[in-house]
């Protein structure tokens, strides 16, 4: 005996469940139909900062702001910026130049967020590397 039969013996449970099974939006989720998203991850590190206890918080703030600014394009923007700094603007495609300029703005905002509560940070900097 199920709970539905125990507490509501006059209700026809089979008819209700059969009616629900006919709707497509109520169909069970199938993981086989979902293609995995392959994202290149990256690592953020605060370099040359003397206080060890504040490192993780600053790195998390930096990464959160970088993700907010660029979304899934963090590694693509980083690579576009590196390509732009190694070559001339005429050697790059328009979308690479746009990504590189987005990287500059996002990195500046993330650096500001990361250093927000750290105090004197003359020689410290954030390093971003793809994994």
């Amino acid at each position: 005996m199920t709970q539905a039969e125990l507490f509501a013996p006059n209700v026809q449970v089979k008819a209700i469940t059969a009616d629900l099974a006919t709707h497509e939006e109520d169909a069970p989720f199938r993981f086989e139909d979902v293609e995995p998203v392959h994202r290149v991850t990256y690592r953020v590190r605060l370099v040359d900062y003397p206080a060890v206890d504040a490192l993780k918080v600053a790195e998390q703030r930096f990464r959160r702001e970088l993700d907010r600014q660029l979304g899934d394009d963090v590694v693509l923007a980083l690579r576009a910026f590196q390509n732009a700094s190694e070559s001339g603007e005429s050697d790059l495609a328009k979308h690479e130049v746009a990504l590189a300029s987005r990287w500059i703005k996002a990195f500046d905002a993330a650096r500001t967020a990361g250093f927000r509560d750290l105090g004197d940070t003359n020689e410290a900097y954030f390093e971003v590397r793809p994994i």
Side-chain angles (χ1 to χ4, degrees), residues 59-129:
E59 289 170 353
Q60 289 172 353
R61 278 196 307 252
F62 180 89
R63 185 179 181 116
R64 192 176 325 128
E65 183 64 26
L66 204 58
D67 286 338
R68 189 179 76 73
Q69 294 279 331
L70 295 171
D72 293 338
D73 296 336
V74 172
V75 176
L76 292 174
L78 172 62
R79 289 184 180 151
F81 175 74
Q82 290 170 342
N83 289 341
S85 64
E86 293 172 1
S87 62
E89 187 175 320
S90 62
D91 297 336
L92 300 173
K94 287 184 181 181
H95 72 279
E96 287 180 315
V97 173
L99 271 175
S101 65
R102 283 183 62 203
W103 172 261
I104 294 169
K105 292 175 186 174
F107 188 84
D108 188 43
R111 184 178 55 220
T112 302
F115 284 134
R116 183 176 57 217
D117 296 330
L118 295 184
D120 186 25
T121 57
N122 291 338
E123 297 177 8
Y125 62 95
F126 284 98
E127 177 184 70
V128 180
R129 289 191 178 191

Side-chain angles (χ1 to χ4, degrees), residues 18-94:
D19 185 45
L20 288 176
T22 60
H23 296 293
E24 287 185 26
E25 65 265 1
D26 294 330
F29 186 76
R30 301 194 63 179
F31 288 100
E32 300 87 34
D33 298 338
V34 177
E35 293 186 28
V37 176
H38 299 288
R39 291 187 350 172
V40 178
T41 57
Y42 63 97
R43 183 179 62 146
V44 172
R45 212 172 63 139
L46 180 58
V47 181
D48 291 339
Y49 189 73
V52 177
D53 57 341
L55 286 178
K56 291 294 179 192
V57 175
E59 289 170 353
Q60 289 172 353
R61 278 196 307 252
F62 180 89
R63 185 179 181 116
R64 192 176 325 128
E65 183 64 26
L66 204 58
D67 286 338
R68 189 179 76 73
Q69 294 279 331
L70 295 171
D72 293 338
D73 296 336
V74 172
V75 176
L76 292 174
L78 172 62
R79 289 184 180 151
F81 175 74
Q82 290 170 342
N83 289 341
S85 64
E86 293 172 1
S87 62
E89 187 175 320
S90 62
D91 297 336
L92 300 173
K94 287 184 181 181

